[in-house]
């Protein structure tokens, strides 16, 4: 389907005598409908047939191929408030301190190094497996970013569950700011540009270390 293309279909949502016209718009992921009258909703199980012209269809062969999110060697960061083995965590964090205009207060940034390209499936918008490791390790310890983040939580925090939403909790550095990798997903899959940093300047970060 061509993202943003519109089709109109008149469907009966009230009675056999009254109809309402809805506009359906495919946004690349789901159908978005125009608003129904106040206090009205389409009944569960209602079906409507939609005729789609041939020129509205596109080849999804390439569109369904995995997209590059971050290349091999990228360092991502997991903000954490450690409650266990704080010294070992902070030793790892000190190995790669990003240059930032603003830092997260009271949180340590655990560097996670990608040992392979990190790709995303454009259909289900989920991450592919990617060997990665914590800073300080010499070889891959985890098969995916999700596995690495879960292990970090179990090792250094007292979270009762290791469940984590990596798109919202894992960060990357862009324009001297720390962004959720969800922003990178939107850039790669939905052509939404990454935000510029209004506070960025060329003054060296006092906390930056050589080689970071």
């Amino acid at each position: 389907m061509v993202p943003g293309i519109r089709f109109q279909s008149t469907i009966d949502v009230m009675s056999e005598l009254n109809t309402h016209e809805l506009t359906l718009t495919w946004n690349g992921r789901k159908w978005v409908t125009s608003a129904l009258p106040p206090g009205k909703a389409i009944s569960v199980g209602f079906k409507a047939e939609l005729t789609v012209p041939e020129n509205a269809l596109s080849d999804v062969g390439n569109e369904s191929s995995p997209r590059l999110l971050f290349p091999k060697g990228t360092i991502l960061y997991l903000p954490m408030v450690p409650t266990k083995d704080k010294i070992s965590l902070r030793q790892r964090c000190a190995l790669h301190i990003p240059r930032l205009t603003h830092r997260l207060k009271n949180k340590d940034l655990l560097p996670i190094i990608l040992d392979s390209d990190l790709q995303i499936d454009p259909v289900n918008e989920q991450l592919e497996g990617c060997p990665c490791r914590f800073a300080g390790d010499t070889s891959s310890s985890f098969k995916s970013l999700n596995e690495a983040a879960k292990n970090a939580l179990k090792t250094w925090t007292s979270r009762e569950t290791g469940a984590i939403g990596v798109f919202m909790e894992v960060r990357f550095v862009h324009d001297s700011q720390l962004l959720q990798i969800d922003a990178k997903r939107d850039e790669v899959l939905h052509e939404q540009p990454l935000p510029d940093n209004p506070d960025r300047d060329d003054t060296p970060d006092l906390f930056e270390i050589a080689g970071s």
Side-chain angles (χ1 to χ4, degrees), residues 2 17-18 26 48-49 53 65 80 88 110 136 158 161 164 171 190:
V2 178
L17 300 177
N18 299 317
W26 179 251
E49 293 186 356
S65 299
M80 300 176 64
S88 70
L110 174 64
S158 299
T161 174
I164 182 172
R171 312 296 178 92
H190 308 300

Side-chain angles (χ1 to χ4, degrees), residues 12 41 57 104 123 181 190:
D12 185 354
L57 303 177
L104 298 178
V123 177
I181 65 172
H190 308 300

Side-chain angles (χ1 to χ4, degrees), residues 29-79:
R29 290 183 293 174
K30 63 181 180 180
W31 288 104
V32 178
T33 65
S34 59
L36 288 168
K40 297 295 181 181
I42 298 176
S43 300
V44 175
F46 177 84
K47 295 181 179 180
E49 293 186 356
L50 181 66
T51 300
V52 179
E54 182 63 29
N55 62 5
L57 303 177
S58 61
D59 186 0
V60 297
N62 293 331
E63 294 178 8
S64 62
S65 299
R67 310 282 181 83
L68 178 65
L69 204 64
F70 297 103
K72 175 181 177 180
T74 297
I75 301 176
L76 302 177
Y77 295 90
L78 176 61

Side-chain angles (χ1 to χ4, degrees), residues 4-187:
I5 194 163
R6 294 173 178 267
F7 305 103
Q8 289 189 333
S9 175
T10 301
I11 60 177
D12 185 354
V13 297
M14 295 180 62
S15 70
E16 294 182 356
L17 300 177
N18 299 317
T19 61
H20 291 279
E21 187 174 83
L22 295 179
T23 299
L24 306 179
T25 303
W26 179 251
N27 69 4
R29 290 183 293 174
K30 63 181 180 180
W31 288 104
V32 178
T33 65
S34 59
L36 288 168
K40 297 295 181 181
I42 298 176
S43 300
V44 175
F46 177 84
K47 295 181 179 180
E49 293 186 356
L50 181 66
T51 300
V52 179
E54 182 63 29
N55 62 5
L57 303 177
S58 61
D59 186 0
V60 297
N62 293 331
E63 294 178 8
S64 62
S65 299
R67 310 282 181 83
L68 178 65
L69 204 64
F70 297 103
K72 175 181 177 180
T74 297
I75 301 176
L76 302 177
Y77 295 90
L78 176 61
M80 300 176 64
V81 179
T83 58
K84 300 184 295 186
D85 203 5
K86 298 180 182 180
I87 294 177
S88 70
L89 173 64
R90 286 166 182 164
Q91 287 174 338
R92 291 178 182 273
C93 294
L95 296 174
H96 294 281
I97 300 177
R99 178 179 178 177
L100 303 170
T101 53
H102 297 286
R103 297 183 177 278
L104 298 178
K105 293 183 178 180
N106 303 319
K107 288 191 177 183
D108 294 294
L109 298 178
L110 174 64
I112 302 176
I113 304 171
L114 303 182
D115 288 327
S116 181
D117 291 346
L118 178 59
Q119 301 192 87
I120 185 170
D121 185 326
V123 177
N124 60 30
E125 300 197 4
Q126 296 300 308
L127 298 177
E128 303 278 314
C130 174
C132 55
R133 55 192 163 91
F134 299 145
D137 294 337
T138 57
S139 60
S140 296
S141 302
F142 309 102
K143 296 179 181 179
S144 69
L145 180 61
N146 190 66
E147 182 181 312
K150 286 183 176 181
N151 182 274
L153 293 180
K154 292 179 180 179
T155 301
W156 289 293
T157 77
S158 299
R159 271 201 198 183
E160 295 181 359
T161 174
I164 182 172
V166 292
F167 283 106
M168 304 305 291
E169 297 196 50
V170 178
R171 312 296 178 92
F172 70 104
V173 177
H174 168 72
D175 198 22
S176 299
Q177 56 188 334
L178 208 56
L179 302 178
Q180 297 168 330
I181 65 172
D182 184 58
K184 189 66 175 178
R185 172 170 61 177
D186 284 341
E187 180 196 38

